[in-house]
Amino acid sequence: MTGALAPTKPLTVADRCDRCGAQAYVRAVLVGGGDLLFCAHHGRKYAEALRSNGADIQDETDRLTETPAAATDEER
């Protein structure tokens, strides 16, 4: 084993924050192999402590500012 973390799947709408149940945008992969899911708020709140304990943080909060593509005339 090389010690490299396996790639993680993108978070989906079905992934929920382990703290409050909102949609998860942050995954913390723990050193022991488990993971925790957080909404943007709780991800920011716990990220520093998790990183200092060796967790790898997958942050997808940039998806919150994306705007959907406008529908073309053919799609309407």
Short mmCIF file of all heavy atoms in Angstrom, two decimals:
data_model
loop_
_atom_site.label_atom_id
_atom_site.label_comp_id
_atom_site.label_asym_id
_atom_site.label_seq_id
_atom_site.Cartn_x
_atom_site.Cartn_y
_atom_site.Cartn_z
N MET A 1 0.84 -1.19 0.00
CA MET A 1 0.00 0.00 0.00
C MET A 1 0.88 1.24 0.00
O MET A 1 1.83 1.33 0.75
CB MET A 1 -0.92 -0.03 1.22
CG MET A 1 -1.85 1.13 1.32
SD MET A 1 -3.04 0.85 2.64
CE MET A 1 -4.54 1.05 1.73
N THR A 2 0.53 2.23 -0.80
CA THR A 2 1.35 3.42 -0.94
C THR A 2 1.00 4.50 0.06
O THR A 2 1.73 5.46 0.22
CB THR A 2 1.19 4.01 -2.35
OG1 THR A 2 -0.16 4.43 -2.52
CG2 THR A 2 1.59 3.02 -3.42
N GLY A 3 -0.12 4.39 0.71
CA GLY A 3 -0.56 5.42 1.65
C GLY A 3 -1.41 6.48 0.99
O GLY A 3 -1.93 7.35 1.65
N ALA A 4 -1.53 6.45 -0.34
CA ALA A 4 -2.36 7.43 -1.04
C ALA A 4 -3.83 7.10 -0.81
O ALA A 4 -4.21 5.94 -0.74
CB ALA A 4 -2.04 7.41 -2.53
N LEU A 5 -4.61 8.14 -0.69
CA LEU A 5 -6.05 7.95 -0.50
C LEU A 5 -6.71 7.59 -1.82
O LEU A 5 -6.34 8.10 -2.87
CB LEU A 5 -6.69 9.23 0.05
CG LEU A 5 -6.25 9.63 1.46
CD1 LEU A 5 -6.83 10.99 1.79
CD2 LEU A 5 -6.70 8.60 2.47
N ALA A 6 -7.68 6.72 -1.75
CA ALA A 6 -8.45 6.38 -2.94
C ALA A 6 -9.30 7.59 -3.34
O ALA A 6 -9.75 8.34 -2.48
CB ALA A 6 -9.36 5.18 -2.64
N PRO A 7 -9.51 7.80 -4.63
CA PRO A 7 -10.35 8.93 -5.04
C PRO A 7 -11.77 8.75 -4.52
O PRO A 7 -12.25 7.62 -4.40
CB PRO A 7 -10.31 8.87 -6.57
CG PRO A 7 -9.61 7.64 -6.94
CD PRO A 7 -9.01 7.02 -5.72
N THR A 8 -12.39 9.85 -4.19
CA THR A 8 -13.75 9.79 -3.67
C THR A 8 -14.73 10.24 -4.75
O THR A 8 -14.40 11.01 -5.64
CB THR A 8 -13.91 10.70 -2.44
OG1 THR A 8 -13.48 12.01 -2.78
CG2 THR A 8 -13.08 10.18 -1.28
N LYS A 9 -15.95 9.73 -4.66
CA LYS A 9 -17.00 10.09 -5.61
C LYS A 9 -17.50 11.51 -5.30
O LYS A 9 -17.50 11.93 -4.14
CB LYS A 9 -18.17 9.12 -5.49
CG LYS A 9 -17.83 7.68 -5.82
CD LYS A 9 -19.05 6.80 -5.75
CE LYS A 9 -19.58 6.80 -4.34
NZ LYS A 9 -20.69 5.88 -4.11
N PRO A 10 -17.96 12.22 -6.31
CA PRO A 10 -18.58 13.53 -6.05
C PRO A 10 -19.80 13.36 -5.14
O PRO A 10 -20.49 12.35 -5.19
CB PRO A 10 -19.00 14.01 -7.44
CG PRO A 10 -18.16 13.22 -8.40
CD PRO A 10 -17.90 11.90 -7.72
N LEU A 11 -20.04 14.35 -4.33
CA LEU A 11 -21.20 14.33 -3.44
C LEU A 11 -22.47 14.57 -4.26
O LEU A 11 -22.46 15.29 -5.25
CB LEU A 11 -21.05 15.40 -2.36
CG LEU A 11 -19.88 15.16 -1.41
CD1 LEU A 11 -19.58 16.41 -0.60
CD2 LEU A 11 -20.18 14.00 -0.48
N THR A 12 -23.56 13.95 -3.84
CA THR A 12 -24.84 14.09 -4.52
C THR A 12 -25.87 14.71 -3.59
O THR A 12 -25.62 14.87 -2.39
CB THR A 12 -25.37 12.73 -5.01
OG1 THR A 12 -25.75 11.95 -3.86
CG2 THR A 12 -24.33 11.97 -5.82
N VAL A 13 -27.03 14.99 -4.11
CA VAL A 13 -28.11 15.57 -3.30
C VAL A 13 -28.55 14.60 -2.20
O VAL A 13 -29.08 15.02 -1.18
CB VAL A 13 -29.29 15.99 -4.21
CG1 VAL A 13 -30.01 14.79 -4.77
CG2 VAL A 13 -30.24 16.91 -3.47
N ALA A 14 -28.29 13.32 -2.37
CA ALA A 14 -28.66 12.33 -1.35
C ALA A 14 -27.69 12.32 -0.17
O ALA A 14 -28.03 11.78 0.88
CB ALA A 14 -28.73 10.95 -1.97
N ASP A 15 -26.50 12.91 -0.32
CA ASP A 15 -25.53 12.96 0.77
C ASP A 15 -25.92 14.06 1.73
O ASP A 15 -26.11 15.21 1.33
CB ASP A 15 -24.12 13.20 0.21
CG ASP A 15 -23.62 12.04 -0.61
OD1 ASP A 15 -23.72 10.90 -0.13
OD2 ASP A 15 -23.12 12.28 -1.73
N ARG A 16 -26.04 13.71 3.01
CA ARG A 16 -26.54 14.64 4.01
C ARG A 16 -25.50 14.91 5.09
O ARG A 16 -24.69 14.05 5.43
CB ARG A 16 -27.81 14.09 4.68
CG ARG A 16 -28.89 13.61 3.72
CD ARG A 16 -29.22 14.54 2.59
NE ARG A 16 -29.98 15.70 3.00
CZ ARG A 16 -30.37 16.66 2.17
NH1 ARG A 16 -30.08 16.58 0.91
NH2 ARG A 16 -31.05 17.68 2.62
N CYS A 17 -25.52 16.10 5.64
CA CYS A 17 -24.61 16.52 6.70
C CYS A 17 -24.82 15.63 7.93
O CYS A 17 -25.95 15.43 8.38
CB CYS A 17 -24.87 17.98 7.07
SG CYS A 17 -23.87 18.61 8.43
N ASP A 18 -23.71 15.09 8.45
CA ASP A 18 -23.79 14.24 9.65
C ASP A 18 -24.16 15.04 10.89
O ASP A 18 -24.55 14.47 11.90
CB ASP A 18 -22.46 13.52 9.88
CG ASP A 18 -22.20 12.45 8.85
OD1 ASP A 18 -23.16 11.82 8.37
OD2 ASP A 18 -21.01 12.22 8.51
N ARG A 19 -24.05 16.34 10.84
CA ARG A 19 -24.35 17.18 12.01
C ARG A 19 -25.79 17.68 12.02
O ARG A 19 -26.45 17.65 13.03
CB ARG A 19 -23.37 18.37 12.02
CG ARG A 19 -23.46 19.22 13.22
CD ARG A 19 -22.83 18.52 14.43
NE ARG A 19 -22.82 19.42 15.55
CZ ARG A 19 -23.50 19.20 16.66
NH1 ARG A 19 -24.19 18.11 16.83
NH2 ARG A 19 -23.47 20.08 17.63
N CYS A 20 -26.30 18.14 10.84
CA CYS A 20 -27.63 18.77 10.85
C CYS A 20 -28.61 18.20 9.82
O CYS A 20 -29.78 18.54 9.84
CB CYS A 20 -27.50 20.28 10.65
SG CYS A 20 -26.97 20.76 8.99
N GLY A 21 -28.13 17.37 8.88
CA GLY A 21 -29.02 16.77 7.90
C GLY A 21 -29.21 17.57 6.61
O GLY A 21 -29.89 17.12 5.71
N ALA A 22 -28.58 18.76 6.51
CA ALA A 22 -28.66 19.53 5.26
C ALA A 22 -27.84 18.84 4.18
O ALA A 22 -27.09 17.90 4.46
CB ALA A 22 -28.13 20.95 5.50
N GLN A 23 -27.97 19.29 2.93
CA GLN A 23 -27.20 18.69 1.85
C GLN A 23 -25.71 18.86 2.13
O GLN A 23 -25.25 19.93 2.52
CB GLN A 23 -27.54 19.33 0.51
CG GLN A 23 -26.82 18.66 -0.65
CD GLN A 23 -27.26 19.16 -2.01
OE1 GLN A 23 -28.26 19.85 -2.13
NE2 GLN A 23 -26.50 18.81 -3.02
N ALA A 24 -24.95 17.78 1.94
CA ALA A 24 -23.51 17.80 2.21
C ALA A 24 -22.74 18.31 0.99
O ALA A 24 -23.02 17.93 -0.14
CB ALA A 24 -23.03 16.40 2.57
N TYR A 25 -21.78 19.19 1.27
CA TYR A 25 -20.87 19.71 0.25
C TYR A 25 -19.42 19.50 0.64
O TYR A 25 -18.52 19.87 -0.11
CB TYR A 25 -21.12 21.21 0.03
CG TYR A 25 -22.42 21.49 -0.68
CD1 TYR A 25 -23.58 21.78 0.03
CD2 TYR A 25 -22.50 21.45 -2.06
CE1 TYR A 25 -24.77 22.02 -0.61
CE2 TYR A 25 -23.69 21.69 -2.72
CZ TYR A 25 -24.82 21.98 -1.99
OH TYR A 25 -26.00 22.21 -2.64
N VAL A 26 -19.18 18.92 1.81
CA VAL A 26 -17.82 18.68 2.30
C VAL A 26 -17.73 17.25 2.81
O VAL A 26 -18.59 16.81 3.57
CB VAL A 26 -17.46 19.67 3.43
CG1 VAL A 26 -16.08 19.39 3.98
CG2 VAL A 26 -17.57 21.11 2.95
N ARG A 27 -16.68 16.54 2.37
CA ARG A 27 -16.41 15.20 2.89
C ARG A 27 -15.05 15.24 3.55
O ARG A 27 -14.07 15.71 2.97
CB ARG A 27 -16.39 14.17 1.76
CG ARG A 27 -15.96 12.78 2.25
CD ARG A 27 -15.86 11.76 1.11
NE ARG A 27 -17.20 11.31 0.75
CZ ARG A 27 -17.72 11.38 -0.47
NH1 ARG A 27 -17.04 11.89 -1.46
NH2 ARG A 27 -18.93 10.94 -0.71
N ALA A 28 -14.97 14.75 4.79
CA ALA A 28 -13.70 14.62 5.50
C ALA A 28 -13.37 13.13 5.56
O ALA A 28 -14.10 12.36 6.18
CB ALA A 28 -13.81 15.20 6.90
N VAL A 29 -12.29 12.74 4.88
CA VAL A 29 -11.85 11.35 4.89
C VAL A 29 -10.85 11.22 6.04
O VAL A 29 -9.79 11.85 6.02
CB VAL A 29 -11.21 10.94 3.55
CG1 VAL A 29 -10.77 9.48 3.59
CG2 VAL A 29 -12.18 11.18 2.40
N LEU A 30 -11.21 10.42 7.02
CA LEU A 30 -10.41 10.30 8.24
C LEU A 30 -9.23 9.36 8.04
O LEU A 30 -9.26 8.47 7.18
CB LEU A 30 -11.30 9.80 9.38
CG LEU A 30 -12.56 10.65 9.63
CD1 LEU A 30 -13.42 10.00 10.70
CD2 LEU A 30 -12.19 12.07 10.00
N VAL A 31 -8.21 9.54 8.86
CA VAL A 31 -7.00 8.73 8.78
C VAL A 31 -7.33 7.25 8.95
O VAL A 31 -6.78 6.39 8.28
CB VAL A 31 -5.98 9.18 9.85
CG1 VAL A 31 -4.78 8.27 9.87
CG2 VAL A 31 -5.56 10.61 9.59
N GLY A 32 -8.27 6.92 9.81
CA GLY A 32 -8.64 5.54 10.07
C GLY A 32 -9.46 4.90 8.97
O GLY A 32 -9.77 3.71 9.03
N GLY A 33 -9.84 5.67 7.94
CA GLY A 33 -10.55 5.11 6.81
C GLY A 33 -12.01 5.49 6.70
O GLY A 33 -12.60 5.33 5.66
N GLY A 34 -12.63 6.00 7.74
CA GLY A 34 -14.02 6.43 7.66
C GLY A 34 -14.12 7.81 7.06
O GLY A 34 -13.12 8.46 6.75
N ASP A 35 -15.35 8.27 6.87
CA ASP A 35 -15.52 9.64 6.42
C ASP A 35 -16.72 10.28 7.10
O ASP A 35 -17.59 9.60 7.62
CB ASP A 35 -15.63 9.74 4.90
CG ASP A 35 -16.86 9.07 4.31
OD1 ASP A 35 -17.61 8.41 5.04
OD2 ASP A 35 -17.08 9.22 3.10
N LEU A 36 -16.69 11.61 7.12
CA LEU A 36 -17.77 12.41 7.67
C LEU A 36 -18.24 13.35 6.58
O LEU A 36 -17.44 13.86 5.79
CB LEU A 36 -17.28 13.22 8.87
CG LEU A 36 -16.82 12.43 10.08
CD1 LEU A 36 -16.13 13.35 11.08
CD2 LEU A 36 -17.99 11.71 10.73
N LEU A 37 -19.55 13.60 6.52
CA LEU A 37 -20.13 14.52 5.55
C LEU A 37 -20.67 15.74 6.28
O LEU A 37 -21.28 15.61 7.35
CB LEU A 37 -21.25 13.84 4.78
CG LEU A 37 -20.87 12.58 4.00
CD1 LEU A 37 -22.10 12.00 3.31
CD2 LEU A 37 -19.78 12.87 3.00
N PHE A 38 -20.45 16.91 5.69
CA PHE A 38 -20.91 18.15 6.31
C PHE A 38 -21.52 19.09 5.28
O PHE A 38 -21.09 19.13 4.12
CB PHE A 38 -19.75 18.89 6.99
CG PHE A 38 -19.15 18.16 8.15
CD1 PHE A 38 -17.89 17.60 8.05
CD2 PHE A 38 -19.83 18.03 9.34
CE1 PHE A 38 -17.32 16.93 9.11
CE2 PHE A 38 -19.28 17.35 10.41
CZ PHE A 38 -18.01 16.80 10.30
N CYS A 39 -22.47 19.90 5.72
CA CYS A 39 -22.97 21.01 4.91
C CYS A 39 -21.84 22.06 4.86
O CYS A 39 -20.82 21.91 5.53
CB CYS A 39 -24.23 21.60 5.55
SG CYS A 39 -23.96 22.32 7.19
N ALA A 40 -22.01 23.10 4.09
CA ALA A 40 -20.97 24.12 3.97
C ALA A 40 -20.67 24.76 5.33
O ALA A 40 -19.50 24.94 5.69
CB ALA A 40 -21.39 25.18 2.96
N HIS A 41 -21.69 25.07 6.10
CA HIS A 41 -21.51 25.71 7.41
C HIS A 41 -20.69 24.83 8.35
O HIS A 41 -19.69 25.27 8.91
CB HIS A 41 -22.88 26.00 8.03
CG HIS A 41 -22.82 26.31 9.49
ND1 HIS A 41 -22.41 27.54 9.96
CD2 HIS A 41 -23.09 25.55 10.58
CE1 HIS A 41 -22.43 27.52 11.28
NE2 HIS A 41 -22.85 26.33 11.68
N HIS A 42 -21.09 23.59 8.52
CA HIS A 42 -20.38 22.71 9.44
C HIS A 42 -19.02 22.29 8.87
O HIS A 42 -18.08 22.05 9.63
CB HIS A 42 -21.24 21.50 9.82
CG HIS A 42 -22.33 21.87 10.76
ND1 HIS A 42 -23.66 21.84 10.39
CD2 HIS A 42 -22.29 22.30 12.03
CE1 HIS A 42 -24.39 22.24 11.41
NE2 HIS A 42 -23.59 22.53 12.42
N GLY A 43 -18.89 22.23 7.55
CA GLY A 43 -17.59 21.95 6.94
C GLY A 43 -16.58 23.03 7.31
O GLY A 43 -15.44 22.72 7.68
N ARG A 44 -16.99 24.30 7.22
CA ARG A 44 -16.11 25.40 7.61
C ARG A 44 -15.80 25.34 9.10
O ARG A 44 -14.67 25.58 9.52
CB ARG A 44 -16.75 26.75 7.28
CG ARG A 44 -16.69 27.10 5.81
CD ARG A 44 -17.14 28.54 5.55
NE ARG A 44 -18.51 28.79 5.98
CZ ARG A 44 -19.59 28.60 5.24
NH1 ARG A 44 -19.46 28.14 4.01
NH2 ARG A 44 -20.80 28.87 5.69
N LYS A 45 -16.80 25.00 9.89
CA LYS A 45 -16.64 24.99 11.35
C LYS A 45 -15.61 23.95 11.80
O LYS A 45 -14.82 24.21 12.69
CB LYS A 45 -17.99 24.70 12.00
CG LYS A 45 -17.96 24.73 13.51
CD LYS A 45 -19.35 24.59 14.09
CE LYS A 45 -19.30 24.65 15.61
NZ LYS A 45 -20.64 24.55 16.19
N TYR A 46 -15.60 22.77 11.17
CA TYR A 46 -14.76 21.67 11.64
C TYR A 46 -13.52 21.40 10.78
O TYR A 46 -12.68 20.58 11.17
CB TYR A 46 -15.59 20.39 11.74
CG TYR A 46 -16.73 20.50 12.71
CD1 TYR A 46 -18.04 20.37 12.28
CD2 TYR A 46 -16.51 20.74 14.05
CE1 TYR A 46 -19.11 20.47 13.17
CE2 TYR A 46 -17.56 20.84 14.95
CZ TYR A 46 -18.86 20.71 14.51
OH TYR A 46 -19.89 20.81 15.39
N ALA A 47 -13.37 22.05 9.64
CA ALA A 47 -12.28 21.74 8.71
C ALA A 47 -10.90 21.86 9.34
O ALA A 47 -10.05 20.97 9.17
CB ALA A 47 -12.36 22.62 7.47
N GLU A 48 -10.63 22.92 10.05
CA GLU A 48 -9.30 23.12 10.63
C GLU A 48 -8.95 22.01 11.62
O GLU A 48 -7.85 21.46 11.58
CB GLU A 48 -9.21 24.48 11.31
CG GLU A 48 -7.81 24.81 11.80
CD GLU A 48 -7.72 26.21 12.39
OE1 GLU A 48 -8.46 27.09 11.96
OE2 GLU A 48 -6.89 26.37 13.30
N ALA A 49 -9.87 21.66 12.50
CA ALA A 49 -9.62 20.60 13.48
C ALA A 49 -9.43 19.26 12.79
O ALA A 49 -8.57 18.47 13.17
CB ALA A 49 -10.77 20.54 14.48
N LEU A 50 -10.23 18.99 11.76
CA LEU A 50 -10.10 17.73 11.03
C LEU A 50 -8.76 17.65 10.31
O LEU A 50 -8.09 16.62 10.35
CB LEU A 50 -11.26 17.57 10.05
CG LEU A 50 -12.62 17.28 10.70
CD1 LEU A 50 -13.75 17.56 9.74
CD2 LEU A 50 -12.66 15.85 11.20
N ARG A 51 -8.36 18.74 9.65
CA ARG A 51 -7.06 18.74 8.95
C ARG A 51 -5.91 18.54 9.92
O ARG A 51 -4.95 17.83 9.63
CB ARG A 51 -6.87 20.06 8.21
CG ARG A 51 -7.47 20.08 6.85
CD ARG A 51 -6.98 21.26 6.02
NE ARG A 51 -7.81 21.38 4.84
CZ ARG A 51 -8.82 22.22 4.71
NH1 ARG A 51 -9.12 23.06 5.67
NH2 ARG A 51 -9.53 22.24 3.61
N SER A 52 -6.00 19.18 11.09
CA SER A 52 -4.91 19.05 12.06
C SER A 52 -4.80 17.62 12.60
O SER A 52 -3.77 17.24 13.13
CB SER A 52 -5.09 20.04 13.21
OG SER A 52 -6.21 19.69 14.01
N ASN A 53 -5.86 16.83 12.44
CA ASN A 53 -5.84 15.43 12.84
C ASN A 53 -5.60 14.50 11.65
O ASN A 53 -5.80 13.29 11.75
CB ASN A 53 -7.14 15.06 13.54
CG ASN A 53 -7.17 15.59 14.96
OD1 ASN A 53 -6.31 15.27 15.76
ND2 ASN A 53 -8.15 16.43 15.26
N GLY A 54 -5.19 15.07 10.51
CA GLY A 54 -4.79 14.27 9.37
C GLY A 54 -5.88 13.95 8.36
O GLY A 54 -5.63 13.19 7.42
N ALA A 55 -7.06 14.49 8.52
CA ALA A 55 -8.15 14.20 7.57
C ALA A 55 -7.89 14.88 6.24
O ALA A 55 -7.32 15.97 6.18
CB ALA A 55 -9.48 14.65 8.14
N ASP A 56 -8.32 14.23 5.17
CA ASP A 56 -8.28 14.81 3.83
C ASP A 56 -9.66 15.40 3.57
O ASP A 56 -10.66 14.71 3.70
CB ASP A 56 -7.95 13.72 2.81
CG ASP A 56 -7.84 14.26 1.40
OD1 ASP A 56 -7.17 15.31 1.22
OD2 ASP A 56 -8.41 13.65 0.48
N ILE A 57 -9.72 16.68 3.21
CA ILE A 57 -11.00 17.37 3.02
C ILE A 57 -11.32 17.49 1.54
O ILE A 57 -10.54 18.01 0.76
CB ILE A 57 -10.97 18.78 3.66
CG1 ILE A 57 -10.51 18.72 5.12
CG2 ILE A 57 -12.31 19.47 3.50
CD1 ILE A 57 -11.43 17.99 6.05
N GLN A 58 -12.50 17.00 1.16
CA GLN A 58 -13.02 17.15 -0.20
C GLN A 58 -14.09 18.24 -0.10
O GLN A 58 -15.17 18.02 0.44
CB GLN A 58 -13.64 15.83 -0.67
CG GLN A 58 -14.34 15.93 -2.01
CD GLN A 58 -15.09 14.64 -2.35
OE1 GLN A 58 -14.95 13.62 -1.69
NE2 GLN A 58 -15.91 14.71 -3.38
N ASP A 59 -13.78 19.43 -0.61
CA ASP A 59 -14.67 20.58 -0.48
C ASP A 59 -15.32 20.89 -1.83
O ASP A 59 -14.66 21.23 -2.79
CB ASP A 59 -13.86 21.78 -0.01
CG ASP A 59 -14.69 23.01 0.28
OD1 ASP A 59 -15.86 23.08 -0.15
OD2 ASP A 59 -14.18 23.91 0.96
N GLU A 60 -16.64 20.75 -1.89
CA GLU A 60 -17.40 21.04 -3.10
C GLU A 60 -18.32 22.24 -2.91
O GLU A 60 -19.32 22.39 -3.61
CB GLU A 60 -18.21 19.81 -3.52
CG GLU A 60 -17.35 18.61 -3.88
CD GLU A 60 -18.16 17.42 -4.35
OE1 GLU A 60 -19.38 17.54 -4.61
OE2 GLU A 60 -17.57 16.32 -4.45
N THR A 61 -18.00 23.11 -1.95
CA THR A 61 -18.87 24.25 -1.67
C THR A 61 -18.93 25.24 -2.84
O THR A 61 -19.86 26.03 -2.91
CB THR A 61 -18.44 24.99 -0.40
OG1 THR A 61 -17.07 25.39 -0.51
CG2 THR A 61 -18.62 24.12 0.83
N ASP A 62 -17.98 25.17 -3.76
CA ASP A 62 -18.04 26.05 -4.93
C ASP A 62 -19.28 25.78 -5.77
O ASP A 62 -19.74 26.65 -6.51
CB ASP A 62 -16.77 25.93 -5.77
CG ASP A 62 -16.50 24.52 -6.26
OD1 ASP A 62 -16.83 23.56 -5.53
OD2 ASP A 62 -15.95 24.38 -7.36
N ARG A 63 -19.86 24.60 -5.64
CA ARG A 63 -21.09 24.27 -6.36
C ARG A 63 -22.26 25.14 -5.91
O ARG A 63 -23.24 25.29 -6.64
CB ARG A 63 -21.44 22.80 -6.17
CG ARG A 63 -20.46 21.88 -6.86
CD ARG A 63 -20.72 20.40 -6.65
NE ARG A 63 -22.12 20.07 -6.48
CZ ARG A 63 -22.57 19.13 -5.65
NH1 ARG A 63 -21.74 18.41 -4.92
NH2 ARG A 63 -23.85 18.87 -5.56
N LEU A 64 -22.17 25.74 -4.73
CA LEU A 64 -23.26 26.58 -4.23
C LEU A 64 -23.40 27.87 -5.03
O LEU A 64 -24.47 28.46 -5.05
CB LEU A 64 -23.03 26.91 -2.75
CG LEU A 64 -23.19 25.74 -1.81
CD1 LEU A 64 -22.64 26.08 -0.43
CD2 LEU A 64 -24.66 25.34 -1.71
N THR A 65 -22.34 28.30 -5.68
CA THR A 65 -22.40 29.55 -6.44
C THR A 65 -22.60 29.34 -7.93
O THR A 65 -22.68 30.30 -8.67
CB THR A 65 -21.11 30.37 -6.22
OG1 THR A 65 -19.98 29.58 -6.62
CG2 THR A 65 -20.96 30.78 -4.76
N GLU A 66 -22.68 28.09 -8.37
CA GLU A 66 -22.91 27.81 -9.78
C GLU A 66 -24.34 28.18 -10.16
O GLU A 66 -25.26 28.03 -9.37
CB GLU A 66 -22.71 26.32 -10.09
CG GLU A 66 -21.28 25.86 -9.98
CD GLU A 66 -21.14 24.37 -10.22
OE1 GLU A 66 -22.16 23.68 -10.44
OE2 GLU A 66 -20.00 23.90 -10.19
N THR A 67 -24.50 28.68 -11.37
CA THR A 67 -25.84 28.97 -11.88
C THR A 67 -26.15 27.98 -12.98
O THR A 67 -25.28 27.66 -13.80
CB THR A 67 -25.96 30.41 -12.42
OG1 THR A 67 -24.94 30.59 -13.40
CG2 THR A 67 -25.79 31.42 -11.31
N PRO A 68 -27.38 27.48 -13.01
CA PRO A 68 -27.72 26.52 -14.06
C PRO A 68 -27.69 27.19 -15.43
O PRO A 68 -27.95 28.38 -15.57
CB PRO A 68 -29.13 26.07 -13.70
CG PRO A 68 -29.65 27.04 -12.71
CD PRO A 68 -28.46 27.75 -12.11
N ALA A 69 -27.36 26.41 -16.44
CA ALA A 69 -27.33 26.93 -17.81
C ALA A 69 -28.74 27.29 -18.24
O ALA A 69 -29.71 26.61 -17.88
CB ALA A 69 -26.74 25.88 -18.74
N ALA A 70 -28.87 28.35 -18.99
CA ALA A 70 -30.18 28.77 -19.48
C ALA A 70 -30.67 27.78 -20.53
O ALA A 70 -29.89 27.26 -21.33
CB ALA A 70 -30.08 30.17 -20.09
N ALA A 71 -31.94 27.51 -20.53
CA ALA A 71 -32.53 26.58 -21.50
C ALA A 71 -32.54 27.24 -22.88
O ALA A 71 -32.83 28.42 -23.02
CB ALA A 71 -33.94 26.22 -21.09
N THR A 72 -32.22 26.45 -23.88
CA THR A 72 -32.29 26.97 -25.25
C THR A 72 -33.75 26.96 -25.70
O THR A 72 -34.61 26.35 -25.09
CB THR A 72 -31.44 26.09 -26.20
OG1 THR A 72 -32.02 24.79 -26.24
CG2 THR A 72 -30.00 26.03 -25.76
N ASP A 73 -34.01 27.65 -26.80
CA ASP A 73 -35.38 27.70 -27.34
C ASP A 73 -35.91 26.30 -27.63
O ASP A 73 -37.08 26.01 -27.45
CB ASP A 73 -35.44 28.55 -28.60
CG ASP A 73 -35.29 30.03 -28.29
OD1 ASP A 73 -35.63 30.44 -27.16
OD2 ASP A 73 -34.83 30.79 -29.16
N GLU A 74 -35.02 25.41 -28.11
CA GLU A 74 -35.43 24.05 -28.44
C GLU A 74 -35.84 23.27 -27.19
O GLU A 74 -36.67 22.36 -27.27
CB GLU A 74 -34.31 23.32 -29.17
CG GLU A 74 -34.04 23.89 -30.54
CD GLU A 74 -32.84 23.24 -31.20
OE1 GLU A 74 -32.27 22.28 -30.63
OE2 GLU A 74 -32.47 23.67 -32.29
N GLU A 75 -35.25 23.57 -26.05
CA GLU A 75 -35.54 22.83 -24.81
C GLU A 75 -36.83 23.33 -24.15
O GLU A 75 -37.41 22.65 -23.34
CB GLU A 75 -34.37 22.98 -23.82
CG GLU A 75 -33.11 22.30 -24.28
CD GLU A 75 -31.94 22.57 -23.36
OE1 GLU A 75 -31.89 23.63 -22.74
OE2 GLU A 75 -31.09 21.68 -23.27
N ARG A 76 -37.27 24.52 -24.50
CA ARG A 76 -38.48 25.09 -23.85
C ARG A 76 -39.71 24.58 -24.41
O ARG A 76 -40.21 24.10 -25.15
CB ARG A 76 -38.46 26.61 -23.98
CG ARG A 76 -37.42 27.21 -23.11
CD ARG A 76 -37.48 28.70 -23.17
NE ARG A 76 -36.10 29.14 -23.02
CZ ARG A 76 -35.67 30.32 -23.31
NH1 ARG A 76 -36.45 31.23 -23.77
NH2 ARG A 76 -34.43 30.63 -23.15
#
